[in-house]
Amino acid sequence: MIICRTITELKEQIGLLRKKEKSIGFVPTMGYLHEGHASLLRYSAEDNDATVLSIFVNPLQFGPNEDLDRYPRDEKRDLALAEECGTDIVFMPSVQEMYPAKPLTTVIVNQVTDRLCGASRPGHFDGVGTVVSKLFHLVQPDKAYFGMKDAQQVAVIQQMVNDLNFPVDIIPCPIVREPDGLALSSRNVYLNAEQRQQAVVLSQTLEKASDWLKEPGMTVERLLARVKVQIDKAAETAIDYAELLYYPSLQPPAANAPINTLNQPLILALAVKFGATRLIDNRLLHANEVNVHVQNDDEVKAAPGNRY
Ligand code: PAF
């Protein structure tokens, strides 16, 4: 496994792969890798001749009062896990290397960023779009792998790739969960024991909601009201958002629409604070007149990125 800390080193390695006509899979991360990242690296290693991992805590995507300074880091453990998962190249630049000066060019994706994390973290997706487009130019991947825990991020990046003709396939990959259902996240490390127990309310609520929405006459507003009551039952939580939206457009259906009349894929997306730690989770759903189908993990993985 080759470690590149500079853009020059990375370009040299990518040049060698391109010369040999090797296909490149890319997994962009902010480090503190967990099994969710490991699954992306394994998918990439399976599908491509070479896998590039980037580890870069991107300051552009953090708001002034967010956790940039305390974002967890563990380089040694990350490198060991990356190697175990078949990574060929790790790109670990410094902030100075990525942004020698404040960038005057920003990639802004409209509309899909209006709600959810786009609304509660202003500027976040401008930072994501900007860094991911820089990384795509540097790594020149054939395929790039993203976890569906950040479903809005997947929609934003797919939109950017479509609009700007990046020659890369976006591969959305299933959410990886703890045995009790909590979605893996680098931020889970911030939770104390009590909050860790409470955090399971996210996946439990998504599970319950996928049954509730099958009830005859269930509407968007009734479902969301029930979801909120369920989350509020867990002590010390503050709901940032609980929304049912079309996916991947992330536009809302009418609040009084019966869910079984909505003929497009939907996402139920949650963001909840446990103390100072804000966690997100979601579930993709497909509703139509006949039934409501909850997408399973194999279907998420099987869905080619460019289907969006
Ligand atoms: O999902 C993440 O870890 C980050 O948003 C990403 C895609 C690596 C961009 O910094």
Side-chain angles (χ1 to χ4, degrees):
M1 191 171 79
I2 294 165
I3 298 169
C4 302
R5 293 189 189 265
T6 66
I7 290 174
T8 309
E9 286 166 339
L10 177 70
K11 277 188 172 164
E12 199 181 311
Q13 294 303 322
I14 299 295
L16 291 174
L17 290 174
R18 285 278 159 233
K19 214 160 153 188
K20 292 188 208 149
E21 297 189 0
K22 302 283 187 199
S23 63
I24 300 176
F26 178 40
V27 180
T29 76
M30 298 205 298
Y32 210 69
L33 304 183
H34 50 64
E35 259 315 299
H37 300 111
S39 73
L40 304 180
L41 290 167
R42 290 193 193 104
Y43 288 133
S44 173
E46 237 172 70
D47 294 350
N48 302 279
D49 296 325
T51 290
V52 179
L53 161 72
S54 67
I55 297 178
F56 178 60
V57 182
N58 172 37
L60 282 196
Q61 67 189 73
F62 288 78
N65 299 317
E66 294 186 351
D67 55 345
L68 173 62
D69 293 336
R70 62 176 195 131
Y71 197 82
R73 295 162 209 245
D74 190 338
E75 188 175 311
K76 207 167 143 215
R77 204 177 54 110
D78 285 354
L79 292 176
L81 185 59
E83 185 142 42
E84 203 186 296
C85 297
T87 306
D88 298 280
I89 298 173
V90 185
F91 179 47
M92 317 179 69
S94 64
V95 173
Q96 174 66 19
E97 182 71 9
M98 284 297 273
Y99 304 117
K102 186 178 182 308
L104 302 181
T105 308
T106 304
V107 177
I108 298 177
V109 180
N110 293 305
Q111 213 162 297
V112 276
T113 55
D114 286 349
R115 309 180 76 92
L116 308 181
C117 295
S120 39
R121 302 182 67 189
H124 169 69
F125 285 116
D126 306 347
V128 171
T130 304
V131 79
V132 171
S133 63
K134 272 170 84 83
L135 290 167
F136 281 176
H137 285 304
L138 294 170
V139 176
Q140 300 171 41
D142 298 284
K143 295 182 178 161
Y145 297 78
F146 292 88
M148 278 300 284
K149 186 172 79 66
D150 298 303
Q152 186 172 24
Q153 173 167 275
V154 174
V156 169
I157 288 166
Q158 186 63 66
Q159 187 68 43
M160 176 185 89
V161 161
N162 293 349
D163 289 344
L164 301 182
N165 301 96
F166 279 89
V168 56
D169 285 340
I170 302 303
I171 312 295
C173 300
I175 299 173
V176 179
R177 296 180 181 281
E178 298 280 7
D180 68 357
L182 179 68
L184 296 194
S185 162
S186 304
R187 290 187 168 99
N188 291 350
V189 74
Y190 300 147
L191 301 169
N192 65 30
E194 203 181 330
Q195 291 163 344
R196 170 62 188 82
Q197 272 189 344
Q198 291 166 1
V200 81
V201 73
L202 288 170
S203 57
Q204 283 175 350
T205 305
L206 292 170
E207 187 71 37
K208 288 198 163 97
S210 53
D211 284 333
W212 295 335
L213 56 76
K214 295 176 192 159
E215 290 176 17
M218 177 60 78
T219 62
V220 175
E221 62 195 344
R222 276 185 52 213
L223 181 82
L224 292 179
R226 230 193 255 184
V227 161
K228 286 174 186 165
V229 168
Q230 180 70 26
I231 295 171
D232 282 337
K233 276 192 206 156
E236 284 181 67
T237 57
I239 299 175
D240 180 2
Y241 59 70
E243 294 199 59
L244 184 70
L245 302 172
Y246 292 120
Y247 193 83
S249 70
L250 297 176
Q251 296 305 301
N256 60 359
I259 292 175
N260 65 356
T261 63
L262 305 175
N263 254 324
Q264 292 173 45
L266 296 160
I267 187 165
L268 178 56
L270 307 176
V272 175
K273 273 182 118 178
F274 300 85
T277 306
R278 180 179 169 282
L279 299 182
I280 58 173
D281 202 348
N282 71 78
R283 191 132 187 191
L284 280 186
L285 312 157
H286 188 85
N288 61 38
E289 269 107 320
V290 190
N291 62 10
V292 178
H293 174 67
V294 179
Q295 252 193 359
N296 65 36
D297 284 355
D298 289 344
E299 289 166 308
V300 174
K301 174 65 176 46
N306 55 13
R307 180 183 293 177
Y308 300 137

